[in-house]
Amino acid sequence: MPENQNFNSEAGLPVNRRAGKVSKYKMEHYVAPLDETPLQAVDSVKETGKPLSMWAEAWRSLRKQPLFIISAILILAVIIVAAFPQWFTSQDPTYCALENSNEPGREGHIMGFNLQGCDIYSRVIYGTRASLLVGIFTTLIVIIVGGTIGALAGFYGGWIDTILARLGDIFFALPLILGAIIVMQLPAFRENKSVWTVIITLAIFGWPQLARITRGAVIEARNADFVKASRSLGLSKFKSLVKHVLPNSLAPIIVVATVNLGVYIVAEATLSFLGVGLPPEIMSWGNDIASAQTQLRNNPMMLMWPALFLSVTVLSFIMLGDAVRDALDPKARKGA
Amino acid sequence: MLSFTLKRIAQLIPVFIGATLLVYFLVFATPGDPIAALSGGKPMTPATEAALRAQYNLDQPFWIQYGLYLKNLVTFDLGMSFSGQPVADLLGRAFPVTARLAILALLIEGVFGIIFGVIAGMRKGKFFDSTILVASLIVIAVPTFVLGFVLQFVIGVKLEWAKPTVSGAATWSELILPAMVLGLVSLAYVIRLTRTSVIENKSADYVRTATAKGLSRNRVVRVHVLRNSLIPVVTFLGADLGSLMGGAIVTEGIFNVPGVGNLLYRAILKGETPTVVAVVGVLVIVFVLANLIVDMLYALLDPRIRYA
């Protein structure tokens, strides 16, 4: 059916577009000829199976996307490295001999040595854990706190919304890094510097953004017909929020959270670079880059390797977020 | 329009008070006795110490300190730094430098971001588009301070195209390289945002009409596609001005720019409450005003938007 094809094709040339418009008009009156779908095809559809949910459909389109496959493999690799660094290097990253200071790479030490004579490769491998922990746990806390606050504000509206919006405004006006530096100076944080203080600090300034996005998504879902139906069938307000509104506003939250995971890893590195992040005894990419800056002229590789690992990790989370967005947004899927 | 503006400026007040209160409290709670730091660890007579404490209101409880600070603020008295300089002077010297830096960064972002974004969007899926997409992803993924070091090293030290560090005067031309570093990440976002918006708009009905009535492609792109695609981009740029000034901490540190970020960083480490709160207060005002200007630009870009 030529009209049918025109209708599906993305309008490229003006001529096509006109044809598309005409066929769109016809589509309203269009009745499929009986022979278009053979009867066997109708019979062969399993009726017992559940209809595909939005997530199953998204998964089906994700599986075919090269962007998703590449980023998923990279992220999986990073997680394995973070969990079992000893599988990837036999060197002790804390064994440093000054005689090796700034030595170039050689057998068994492919990336060479840093100023203190430590093996750069093993430090990069063992540094993965701190960066990844910060990224994952900050994201989790931000989703729980920001998501809850945003959902309550969007769903109940009224004075709760007003207060939370103003509170969010105040935190929003303080840039992440700036606020984080100030919080990291607090006694409770400065004296117990660890991965956890960095996570909590980043979460304090990270939640307003997610709360806003959740609020918007919840407001959109709140007015959907199926939510109104569930309410008129007697479901309590809170139950309809948990059962119907939240599952239907998850998509933008997941996308933003995935991309932000990378942003938090960069923020941790930036804080460590400024000297207020992780304590120097914790091996992390941020600390290694920070200590490499003074050696940039003598040994640029000392900066490049941890920076490369960090960037590739962040890049894979951003790509994953992009791929998930494309999969969850049916409009984008049709256009592709 | 006027009442809208007034309403928005009135909204600024609670945000300003909230943010300064938060920062004041955080710095107040920070340990380290600033008076002990002031004396450089040397012993001080109790009388001197008490006098100094009274001078900076450090002997008062938190609420009184903050109240006194706000009271002085109304008369544009920002207090004194611990080294005895008026905070207003420090800010007056540092602020123009950071403002120049942020404006340059914003220009770089806006001009290059929109041009690249439009070209990529109009040629979706072509070579230029794919290259720009990959390049922008890489720029987003690499931390600013790494980009800063690499550009400083390559352009400033190896190629000697620009001075690797900025002098005390911090002239416009000296600030181009730091501004590039500062604006690079946002540039990537602007490109992607413009591209998405252009792709969405280029198949809109009015664009087809414009093409059909025989307008040149140049005019169609500039007037019909671009103007309608600018709203999300302008929103981003407005919100970004505030974060550029705050994010300048890292860039100013690398290039030794004597701006607000440098001032703030040193003041935070010293626990110098008046300076920290003043700088953060100014940053908050810039952030909120930039967003206000953006809201007003909406009406210019899209006449359908009217503020009653």
Side-chain angles (χ1 to χ4, degrees):
Chain A
M1 300 293 293
E3 296 119 332
N4 207 3
Q5 265 173 5
N6 267 337
F7 179 64
N8 282 331
S9 75
E10 198 192 345
L13 295 160
V15 181
N16 271 2
R17 245 181 268 154
R18 242 188 95 224
K21 186 82 177 178
V22 170
S23 64
K24 188 177 181 182
Y25 177 69
K26 276 186 186 164
M27 283 299 283
E28 289 175 51
H29 309 280
Y30 178 72
V31 180
L34 278 176
D35 59 349
E36 193 160 66
T37 313
L39 274 178
Q40 306 95 288
V42 176
D43 287 340
S44 67
V45 172
K46 275 191 201 146
E47 287 164 17
T48 46
K50 269 199 196 164
L52 276 181
S53 72
M54 180 176 107
W55 302 106
E57 202 152 306
W59 171 237
R60 260 180 34 169
S61 83
L62 264 184
R63 272 187 318 197
K64 287 180 228 135
Q65 264 199 52
L67 196 67
F68 170 76
I69 298 170
I70 296 169
S71 53
I73 290 174
L74 281 173
I75 289 172
L76 206 65
V78 171
I79 291 174
I80 294 173
V81 169
F84 308 103
Q86 64 275 19
W87 290 1
F88 296 87
T89 172
S90 53
Q91 301 294 324
D92 179 359
T94 55
Y95 173 76
C96 310
L98 274 178
E99 64 194 46
N100 290 329
S101 178
N102 281 345
E103 284 281 307
R106 60 164 182 251
E107 176 100 40
H109 305 273
I110 46 172
M111 294 179 190
F113 298 88
N114 67 12
L115 180 67
Q116 303 295 331
C118 318
D119 178 42
I120 292 180
Y121 172 72
S122 64
R123 284 192 69 86
V124 168
I125 292 290
Y126 276 85
T128 310
R129 185 178 290 173
S131 296
L132 201 67
L133 277 181
V134 169
I136 290 176
F137 280 96
T138 309
T139 307
L140 282 180
I141 296 176
V142 163
I143 289 180
I144 294 169
V145 176
T148 312
I149 291 178
L152 291 177
F155 192 70
Y156 290 100
W159 61 271
I160 304 182
D161 192 20
T162 314
I163 290 182
L164 292 176
R166 289 292 147 266
L167 201 66
D169 275 348
I170 291 169
F171 279 93
F172 220 66
L174 288 173
L176 177 75
I177 292 297
L178 195 144
I181 297 173
I182 297 178
V183 169
M184 291 302 286
Q185 288 300 108
L186 290 177
F189 286 80
R190 193 156 70 170
E191 281 149 32
N192 309 304
K193 265 189 185 176
S194 72
V195 174
W196 291 102
T197 54
V198 175
I199 290 171
I200 293 168
T201 309
L202 291 178
I204 290 176
F205 292 94
W207 71 266
Q209 192 202 5
L210 203 94
R212 278 189 183 199
I213 285 155
T214 313
R215 178 178 169 274
V218 162
I219 287 178
E220 206 173 294
R222 179 183 69 176
N223 298 324
D225 287 339
F226 57 85
V227 177
K228 287 183 185 151
S230 78
R231 293 274 292 132
S232 45
L233 283 171
L235 204 64
S236 79
K237 226 176 163 178
F238 184 73
K239 269 194 181 159
S240 83
L241 169 67
V242 175
K243 257 188 91 100
H244 297 288
V245 176
L246 274 187
N248 284 290
S249 35
L250 272 183
I253 301 174
I254 290 177
V255 171
V256 173
T258 320
V259 173
N260 275 357
L261 210 155
V263 173
Y264 297 137
I265 293 180
V266 172
E268 176 272 311
T270 309
L271 286 179
S272 299
F273 158 74
L274 288 170
V276 293
L278 294 172
E281 66 270 16
I282 292 184
M283 256 178 282
S284 84
W285 293 332
N287 273 338
D288 279 7
I289 297 173
S291 61
Q293 54 160 310
T294 51
Q295 293 300 310
L296 192 58
R297 288 184 192 202
N298 305 328
N299 189 4
M301 284 302 119
M302 193 175 151
L303 179 107
M304 294 322 286
W305 286 118
L308 181 74
F309 270 67
L310 183 127
S311 304
V312 169
T313 308
V314 174
L315 190 64
S316 21
F317 279 106
I318 295 174
M319 290 196 308
L320 185 74
D322 269 7
V324 172
R325 176 184 12 236
D326 287 349
L328 287 177
D329 183 359
K331 229 171 92 187
R333 202 172 349 168
K334 209 164 64 182
Chain B
M1 191 74 179
L2 184 69
S3 72
F4 169 78
T5 314
L6 288 177
K7 212 172 121 190
R8 284 295 303 266
I9 290 175
Q11 273 181 7
L12 200 151
I13 296 168
V15 174
F16 178 78
I17 292 184
T20 48
L21 183 65
L22 183 74
V23 172
Y24 207 94
F25 174 72
L26 288 175
V27 183
F28 181 84
T30 307
D33 191 344
I35 296 299
L38 188 62
S39 73
K42 288 188 208 112
M44 216 188 283
T45 61
T48 321
E49 202 188 321
L52 276 174
R53 274 185 200 286
Q55 189 191 337
Y56 293 110
N57 296 324
L58 288 173
D59 49 351
Q60 306 284 350
F62 170 70
W63 286 106
I64 309 258
Q65 277 194 35
Y66 181 68
L68 283 172
Y69 180 80
L70 273 191
K71 199 190 98 200
N72 288 337
L73 199 64
V74 179
T75 57
F76 291 100
D77 175 8
L78 297 176
M80 300 284 253
S81 79
F82 289 146
S83 54
Q85 285 167 296
V87 172
D89 283 5
L90 290 175
L91 203 58
R93 242 174 293 145
F95 187 77
V97 175
T98 302
R100 281 204 287 272
L101 183 65
I103 289 172
L104 268 181
L106 206 63
L107 271 179
I108 292 173
E109 258 176 72
V111 173
F112 290 100
I114 292 174
I115 292 176
F116 287 159
V118 169
I119 297 176
M122 294 308 290
R123 299 184 188 164
K124 184 189 172 196
K126 300 275 168 58
F127 177 74
F128 182 82
D129 181 37
S130 324
T131 319
I132 279 282
L133 272 186
V134 173
S136 65
L137 266 184
I138 292 173
V139 167
I140 292 173
V142 179
T144 313
F145 60 95
V146 174
L147 281 175
F149 282 135
V150 172
L151 284 184
Q152 184 186 38
F153 185 61
V154 174
I155 295 181
V157 180
K158 285 270 154 173
L159 298 173
E160 295 184 8
W161 287 353
K163 273 197 254 170
T165 55
V166 173
S167 71
T171 54
W172 288 96
S173 56
E174 281 177 328
L175 288 173
I176 291 178
L177 183 60
M180 261 171 62
V181 172
L182 183 61
L184 211 50
V185 175
S186 306
L187 173 69
Y189 281 113
V190 174
I191 290 177
R192 292 172 76 89
L193 211 54
T194 314
R195 176 184 172 273
T196 316
S197 195
V198 163
I199 289 172
E200 217 167 86
N201 281 321
K202 75 174 178 186
S203 48
D205 288 343
Y206 51 80
V207 174
R208 191 176 52 201
T209 311
T211 315
K213 73 182 183 190
L215 294 181
S216 71
R217 184 179 158 85
N218 190 358
R219 189 168 167 81
V220 171
V221 172
R222 262 191 311 125
V223 180
H224 296 267
V225 177
L226 180 60
R227 187 168 163 190
N228 283 292
S229 311
L230 275 183
I231 285 200
V233 180
V234 167
T235 312
F236 178 84
L237 286 176
D240 204 43
L241 182 63
S243 29
L244 280 181
M245 299 200 70
I249 291 186
V250 174
T251 319
E252 288 184 0
I254 294 172
F255 292 98
N256 196 29
V257 181
V260 167
N262 245 331
L263 179 70
L264 183 62
Y265 183 60
R266 267 179 284 139
I268 292 173
L269 295 187
K270 271 193 283 182
E272 206 173 87
T273 320
T275 316
V276 177
V277 179
V279 173
V280 172
V282 168
L283 291 181
V284 169
I285 291 177
V286 169
F287 177 80
V288 182
L289 282 184
N291 280 311
L292 177 67
I293 294 170
V294 164
D295 279 353
M296 294 177 163
L297 278 180
Y298 283 174
L300 271 182
L301 287 171
D302 188 345
R304 282 171 301 187
I305 300 174
R306 288 261 173 271
Y307 298 111

